[in-house]
């Protein structure tokens, strides 16, 4: 991100851990899923599709995607992201079935796991009031597997391990009526020392790598796998 993009980070996209306490009023970004609605293919079918850069021609034929078409570019981009080398200490995999996602998550975290995500999209793009907050695993620093959708003809998730995080579940209330409207899952990255100095979080929060923790909500249809509480 360039130096002048400070104001382009959506309010509430990143926040500090101390905001996660009863009575905090804060903006919530747009957490709605912007991807087209798609489904996982059944595992037996997904496993037979040529999902790799080396067989990209075959994959494009299956989806009738010309190289210059939007669909062709989408397949290129997704596969490149899936096959790039992991960053230091990261384990990553693109998964095209729920079976694959569970296999990968158990590989990283062991067998006793649960999946968490924010309950709905209420509160998006407005101010929210934080109600009761619970630290997962007693608020200890832990590791999770984070899964985000890729733009692809069928449902594919990019999953990767993230270490040194604290995870919170928070009741999200309407600031006027005080009624509970959502239950949010927030991830706080405790160690940001390897992040780039121009990263949007530092622009928004006014700090730098390794100096602060950075928190964000889990957006709609993204998933965080953790060891069971």
């Amino acid at each position: 991100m360039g130096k002048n993009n400070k104001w382009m980070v959506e309010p509430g996209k990143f926040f500090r851990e101390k905001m996660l306490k009863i009575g905090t009023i804060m903006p919530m970004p747009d957490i709605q899923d912007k991807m087209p609605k798609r489904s996982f293919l059944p595992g037996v079918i997904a496993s037979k599709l040529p999902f790799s850069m080396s067989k990209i021609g075959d994959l494009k034929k299956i989806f009738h995607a010309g190289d210059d078409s939007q669909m062709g570019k989408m397949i290129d981009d997704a596969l490149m992201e899936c096959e790039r080398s992991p960053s230091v200490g990261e384990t990553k995999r693109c998964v095209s079935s729920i079976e694959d996602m569970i296999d990968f998550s158990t590989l990283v975290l062991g067998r006793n796991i649960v999946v968490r995500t924010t309950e709905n999209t209420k509160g998006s793009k407005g101010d929210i009031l934080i109600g009761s907050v619970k630290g997962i695993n007693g608020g200890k620093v832990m590791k999770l597997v984070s899964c985000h959708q890729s733009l692809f003809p069928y449902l594919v998730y990019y999953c990767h391990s993230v270490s040194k995080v604290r995870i919170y579940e928070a009741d999200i209330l309407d600031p006027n009526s005080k009624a509970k409207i959502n239950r949010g899952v927030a991830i706080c990255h405790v160690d940001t020392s390897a992040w780039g100095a121009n990263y949007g979080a530092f622009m928004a929060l006014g700090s730098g790598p390794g100096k602060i923790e950075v928190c964000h909500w889990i957006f709609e249809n993204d998933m965080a796998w953790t060891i069971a509480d």
Side-chain angles (χ1 to χ4, degrees):
M1 290 185 69
K3 287 277 184 284
N4 302 325
N5 292 2
K6 182 170 176 183
W7 310 115
M8 289 174 64
V9 178
E10 195 183 357
K13 186 169 180 185
F14 302 108
F15 50 90
R16 301 291 303 271
E17 204 165 8
K18 63 175 186 275
M19 308 285 283
L20 290 170
K21 60 172 192 283
I22 292 184
T24 302
I25 292 183
M26 61 195 276
M28 187 179 228
D30 184 0
I31 67 164
Q32 293 176 41
D33 177 10
K34 299 288 192 297
M35 296 264 185
K37 292 276 174 279
R38 292 148 306 144
S39 302
F40 275 134
L41 294 175
V44 285
I45 295 174
S47 64
K48 291 192 170 68
L49 287 174
F51 191 82
S52 78
M53 281 308 257
S54 59
K55 303 200 183 89
I56 195 156
D58 298 344
L59 195 59
K60 284 181 178 174
K61 274 200 195 89
I62 291 168
F63 290 105
H64 306 293
D67 283 340
D68 298 332
S69 67
Q70 236 181 327
M71 178 80 84
K73 187 172 175 344
M74 173 167 77
I75 291 172
D76 285 341
D77 289 350
L79 281 179
M80 272 164 66
E81 176 67 3
C82 286
E83 295 195 356
R84 73 165 173 80
S85 308
S87 46
V88 179
E90 180 190 44
T91 314
K92 63 187 268 292
R93 183 189 294 172
C94 282
V95 300
S96 52
S97 67
I98 197 70
E99 295 92 338
D100 271 0
M101 189 184 281
I102 293 168
D103 284 350
F104 176 69
S105 301
T106 51
L107 181 77
V108 175
L109 299 169
R111 300 215 59 87
N112 189 21
I113 56 171
V114 292
V115 65
R116 303 173 198 282
T117 189
T118 296
E119 207 166 274
N120 60 57
T121 60
K122 291 186 181 129
S124 271
K125 300 191 282 196
D127 281 344
I128 54 169
L129 172 64
I130 303 293
S132 66
V133 179
K134 174 188 172 211
I136 301 302
N137 199 16
K140 292 194 195 75
V141 175
M142 58 198 289
K143 187 182 204 175
L144 86 154
V145 169
S146 175
C147 295
H148 316 274
Q149 291 181 68
S150 292
L151 190 54
F152 207 69
Y154 55 92
L155 193 55
V156 167
Y157 273 83
Y158 171 93
C159 294
H160 63 127
S161 65
V162 185
S163 47
K164 299 190 181 150
V165 292
R166 278 196 282 265
I167 301 163
Y168 295 92
E169 287 185 336
D171 284 347
I172 292 172
L173 317 180
D174 178 300
N176 302 314
S177 70
K178 312 279 191 286
K180 180 180 166 183
I181 54 171
N182 203 342
R183 184 147 176 87
V185 177
I187 308 290
C188 293
H189 298 266
V190 179
D191 179 7
T192 56
S193 52
W195 295 15
N198 285 341
Y199 189 61
F202 302 131
M203 298 288 171
L205 301 172
S207 190
K211 297 198 177 100
I212 56 166
E213 83 301 329
V214 170
C215 306
H216 59 84
W217 298 108
I218 297 267
F219 283 24
E220 182 185 21
N221 293 333
D222 283 352
M223 290 182 240
W225 292 85
T226 65
I227 53 170
D229 216 1

